[in-house]
Amino acid sequence: MVNAMMNPMTAMPSSSSATGMGMGMPVMAPNMMMVPRCTMKMEKCAGGMKITCMCDDPAACVMMQNLCTMMAGGMCSMCCTMNGMTVCCCNMTMGACKVEMTANGCCVTCTSGDKMCCDMIQACCDCMMMCMKSGCACCLMMGGTPVCCCMC
């Protein structure tokens, strides 16, 4: 799958001749998974924020939509990394997150009726947007499982 990236939060690929090939082929650890690469857009909305994930590759889109469907209802979180190090991680425990499928991806809306919780969600939105604008990779997770990643 061309539009997929390895989740940097679970394991890193390594080169090894332990496979018997001796050609420096990457060896995948058992807990590694491929995560669809997407274009991610975050914006504030009434009561919270909206995260839109879009994939150009149909196979990556279907994989992301299947992951979202399976993990819907779990805690939604976003993690921004730069050079393999976590810069910021926001857990949307202060709001209710709803997942909707779109033609080329999904849309996650996290909102709260409480003013203070809404402010926290929107502050997380500002933080994530600035991290992405500054070159961080962002990973959207549901229930702790990555569903899509974006490299801006």
Side-chain angles (χ1 to χ4, degrees):
M1 177 182 299
V2 173
N3 285 331
M5 60 191 291
M6 282 179 271
N7 177 17
M9 297 174 59
T10 56
M12 298 295 286
S14 63
S15 294
S16 171
S17 59
T19 59
M21 297 194 171
M23 301 172 75
M25 299 290 289
V27 178
M28 289 192 154
N31 63 343
M32 184 177 290
M33 69 179 286
M34 297 299 283
V35 179
R37 186 177 301 203
C38 69
T39 302
M40 195 178 294
K41 183 175 96 173
M42 295 180 199
E43 59 188 328
K44 294 179 188 179
C45 65
M49 71 180 288
K50 182 188 286 192
I51 308 155
T52 306
C53 301
M54 300 159 286
C55 292
D56 294 332
D57 179 21
C61 181
V62 169
M63 181 180 180
M64 177 180 59
Q65 289 176 334
N66 287 339
L67 284 167
C68 286
T69 300
M70 287 187 298
M71 303 310 297
M75 182 182 69
C76 179
S77 58
M78 295 159 295
C79 185
C80 285
T81 59
M82 182 177 274
N83 298 325
M85 298 295 293
T86 300
V87 174
C88 183
C89 189
C90 290
N91 297 314
M92 297 290 117
T93 57
M94 69 293 271
C97 297
K98 180 176 73 169
V99 182
E100 297 175 57
M101 299 307 149
T102 62
N104 62 345
C106 70
C107 180
V108 180
T109 308
C110 296
T111 57
S112 176
D114 181 75
K115 170 78 170 104
M116 297 303 280
C117 289
C118 173
D119 290 346
M120 285 191 286
I121 294 168
Q122 291 183 343
C124 286
C125 181
D126 288 337
C127 180
M128 292 289 132
M129 287 191 304
M130 182 54 69
C131 286
M132 288 174 37
K133 184 178 177 180
S134 300
C136 288
C138 186
C139 185
L140 174 66
M141 296 173 284
M142 291 184 188
T145 300
V147 295
C148 64
C149 289
C150 170
M151 300 237 357
C152 297

